[in-house]
Amino acid sequence: MENNRPSWTSRCSFILAAVGSAVGLGNIWRFPYIMGQNGGAVFLLIYLCLILTLCFIPLVAELAFGKFTKKECIGAYESVNPKFKFLGMLNPLTGILISSFYFVVGGWIINYILINFSFSQITDFSGYFSDFIQNSYAVCVYTLLFLFLCIFFTARGIKKGIEFANNILMPLFAVIMVCLISFSLTLPNAYLGLEYMFKPDFSKINGQMFLAALGQALFTLSIGMGALLTYGSYIKDDKGITKSAYTIILSDTFFALMAGIMIFPAIFSFGLEPNSGAGLVFVTLPYIFAQIPNGNIVSAAFFILLLAAAITSGISILEVDVAAFSERLKISRKKACTMLFGIISLIAIPASLSFGVLKDFTLLNKTIFDFLDFITSSFLMPLNAFVLCIIAGWFLHIKGILFTRSKFLGWLFDIGLKFVVPAIMLCLLYVGLK
Ligand code: TRP
């Protein structure tokens, strides 16, 4: 079975796919609005410290876990000890729950690409957004369309589907981003946005910022759901994990910063507030696009960029389940994808209706959409990351395999993996569930 497993064509395709997984809505939609809500530059500083140091540990652990076991996540945990099988199962479960709300936002993006054909007719973007997300028919159709797009690439397999999508979409993403940044930086008073991002006001610092930064870092690096474990399991034996991990972290951070540089100068140039929350990209930005000549072209470029990033991340979420389903149940990828399409639709459709017909249907006082976000970001992802570090540190002893040259680095990594990161994940769980 293991010999039949697919693998990446080259180190470069693996890195591109892993960066494609990391760079997604988390960077362009979530990062700017979380930063806007948490005071700008100070948040950025905390975020950078966490992502460049602490997050390296679970990221390496997850990649290494996949690479050394060469199995999908359930099999990977099972190969350490058959009793750990159920811990592995948490990963595909988390995948299904994350995708169910991630794909709803993916659907919104498709709508925002299409509205550019009749852009001039919309005057009130805030009203438009709230009307749109209440329109049951539209949100269902777009959610399913986005799900279909991601499933389409995933079903075609590692080389023809996942690598192909990343090879096209990631360069497209980078080119559009460069154009939009150049545009944003030439707007009047653009420097105010840069000041907001890079001039920290330390009086604003608080504990909440650390939690928000850590949660964001885990989400944006795709840690705690088996996506990197599954991608890691397709690495051929001779590839260096620690170097790849740094490349992924640095690229992801680079793209998050670029997203900030693309968005904040425009917001400040138009005298708007950066703290409008989840609506930042869907309400504030379209308002700005409407003010500029040929704004619909800029707007279309922006949402195509967002769609490209969301598809490459969506694919990585699906791959966890496709690998688990096809390898455990011994069915073809296509069959696994069809099953997954059915299961995810069953959860994603009610999630997409959370702002409209199902807005009064609540779980733990939250709409279905918010509940899925909460249960994955505040519970399942930190829990999975905790379990991952404990197993990789105490049972797999990965430091001995990874850090053969520097004893000191190996020791530092081991302490982090066995004690520091698990303790922090427990804190995150405690605060999240309180
Ligand atoms: N990292 C992606 C983003 O920033 C989202 C994502 C993809 C993800 N795979 C994941 C999040 C696995 C958590 C777990 O948009």
Side-chain angles (χ1 to χ4, degrees), residues 267-280:
I267 290 179
F268 279 86
S269 176
F270 282 87
L272 298 170
E273 286 298 319
N275 58 357
S276 62
L280 189 69

Side-chain angles (χ1 to χ4, degrees), residues 26-45:
N27 301 59
I28 300 156
W29 168 62
R30 203 167 185 271
F31 175 76
Y33 92 70
I34 300 269
M35 182 163 151
Q37 282 177 329
N38 284 283
V42 208
F43 172 86
L44 180 62
L45 208 62

